[in-house]
Amino acid sequence: MVSLIKAGIIKKNKGSPLEEDACYEIRYLDEGHLNEMMALQEVIVQNLADKEIFRTHSIDYFRVLFMVENAAIGAFADEGLIACILLQFPGKAGDNFGADVNLPKDDLSKVVHLAKVAVHPAFRGNSLQRKMQSIHLEVARKMGCYHACCMVSPKNRHSLENMFSHGFIIKALKVKFGSRLRYILHKNLLCPNIVVPDEIRIASSNIGGQVCLLNRGFLGFRLVQLCDDLEISYGRVHAPMIQ
Ligand SMILES: CC(C)(COP(=O)(O)OP(=O)(O)OC[C@H]1O[C@@H](n2cnc3c(N)ncnc32)[C@H](O)[C@@H]1OP(=O)(O)O)[C@@H](O)C(=O)NCCC(=O)NCCS
């Protein structure tokens, strides 16, 4: 059995009449979990109101990622795999999000992607994304990564909120993978960015306005939920000593 990283009690069906306590364990995943991973992906997709926010992958894609030690973490309950997150190490040659946020070329080999996160709908609201990503960011730092990057859809409020809570900031907004509009977020793992809130708030649906702010050197650092819209706060950043 793969080593245990963390365990505890969470809520199943949180906030509904069916709410109950459930035991969970967080463990590293390996090839033996590939089928469960595919089944979880299917449940996630079936339950998405907007399928554009979540990219699906083949079992071969996961197999390659799972071969890298500690790159995949899963949470388990009695039902089996209920959540997963994946790291990807793009190297200098691949589609490196570090290039999208203008990191120096020499740093691209030190970039890790937070490639995927998914929590089974029955177990949402337990901060599993945050819990597992905290573990993974520490793993990546210990592996010698200086920079963590990830992509999030402007429509994906919950994932965006969780990335901001880890200190990620929006550094670019562009179409990726052919047709998907994505924020590209970055966190310097050695020396966190300090955002000076010269604050300008703008609707997350205002794509042109946000691109304009990014081009002027503003970076997105917070999300504000209004009754019928999401706004992103943009500010200037004090560059860290180590870019
Ligand atoms: C993004 C995601 C991983 C977050 O799950 P999580 O870690 O359980 O989220 P949190 O615990 O931070 O949830 C915070 C609040 O948002 C709610 N929430 C989280 N995800 C939600 C969703 N997709 N739809 C509606 N509400 C959601 C939670 O119920 C919780 O509400 P509460 O504070 O009233 O209890 C999860 O929504 C998910 O798997 N989404 C689909 C896949 C996806 O978008 N992945 C990211 C792109 S790769």
Side-chain angles (χ1 to χ4, degrees):
M1 191 52 156
V2 194
S3 59
L4 181 67
I5 308 172
K6 191 181 174 87
I9 307 283
I10 50 176
K11 298 284 180 204
K12 183 176 178 185
N13 301 314
K14 194 176 169 201
S16 89
L18 297 175
E19 179 175 309
E20 57 178 320
D21 285 345
C23 296
Y24 81 98
E25 293 182 349
I26 296 180
R27 297 179 181 276
Y28 291 111
L29 301 179
D30 60 27
E31 278 205 52
H33 298 108
L34 280 172
N35 288 334
E36 273 189 283
M37 180 73 209
M38 294 306 286
L40 177 61
Q41 176 172 260
E42 188 53 32
V43 173
I44 301 291
V45 172
Q46 291 306 324
N47 283 274
L48 278 179
D50 183 347
K51 305 209 188 308
E52 194 273 334
I53 68 168
F54 184 73
R55 278 176 83 214
T56 56
H57 295 283
S58 68
I59 196 164
D60 290 332
Y61 171 90
F62 293 125
R63 186 172 286 117
V64 171
L65 291 194
F66 280 30
M67 274 157 54
V68 179
E69 198 177 359
N70 299 341
I73 291 180
F76 294 84
D78 285 347
E79 294 80 353
L81 186 68
I82 56 162
C84 72
I85 58 165
L86 303 179
L87 293 184
Q88 188 195 25
F89 300 89
K92 280 188 173 183
D95 179 13
N96 192 315
F97 306 160
D100 290 308
V101 298
N102 299 320
L103 292 180
K105 271 205 173 78
D106 285 348
D107 277 14
L108 294 183
S109 58
K110 302 289 185 187
V111 170
V112 62
H113 291 170
L114 274 57
K116 180 161 289 281
V117 52
V119 175
H120 189 292
F123 292 92
R124 289 191 185 147
N126 290 290
S127 304
L128 283 176
Q129 174 177 0
R130 277 182 233 197
K131 286 187 178 91
M132 295 195 297
Q133 280 178 336
S134 296
I135 297 165
H136 245 169
L137 288 169
E138 191 51 23
V139 166
R141 210 184 49 77
K142 286 189 178 148
M143 287 170 83
C145 295
Y146 299 170
H147 302 281
C149 294
C150 71
M151 284 195 293
V152 180
S153 161
K155 295 180 270 181
N156 198 342
R157 172 192 151 196
H158 302 288
S159 193
L160 206 48
E161 257 175 342
N162 285 333
M163 297 321 298
F164 284 142
S165 78
H166 284 301
F168 279 74
I169 51 177
I170 296 173
K171 286 199 167 174
L173 173 56
K174 52 171 78 172
V175 173
K176 295 290 285 183
F177 316 121
S179 60
R180 294 178 193 244
L181 190 62
R182 292 290 185 263
Y183 290 125
I184 300 169
L185 294 100
H186 168 247
K187 177 179 170 123
N188 187 315
L189 297 178
L190 302 184
C191 186
N193 293 297
I194 301 162
V195 179
V196 182
D198 201 3
E199 191 172 341
I200 295 182
R201 274 169 48 176
I202 179 167
S204 63
S205 54
N206 182 349
I207 305 305
Q210 290 179 91
V211 170
C212 199
L213 283 174
L214 288 161
N215 288 342
R216 287 168 53 203
F218 281 82
L219 302 170
F221 66 96
R222 189 175 33 224
L223 183 150
V224 182
Q225 172 72 56
L226 304 175
C227 22
D228 56 353
D229 205 357
L230 288 184
E231 286 189 348
I232 306 291
S233 291
Y234 281 80
R236 305 265 187 194
V237 163
H238 266 255
M241 297 301 286
I242 305 157
Q243 167 69 16

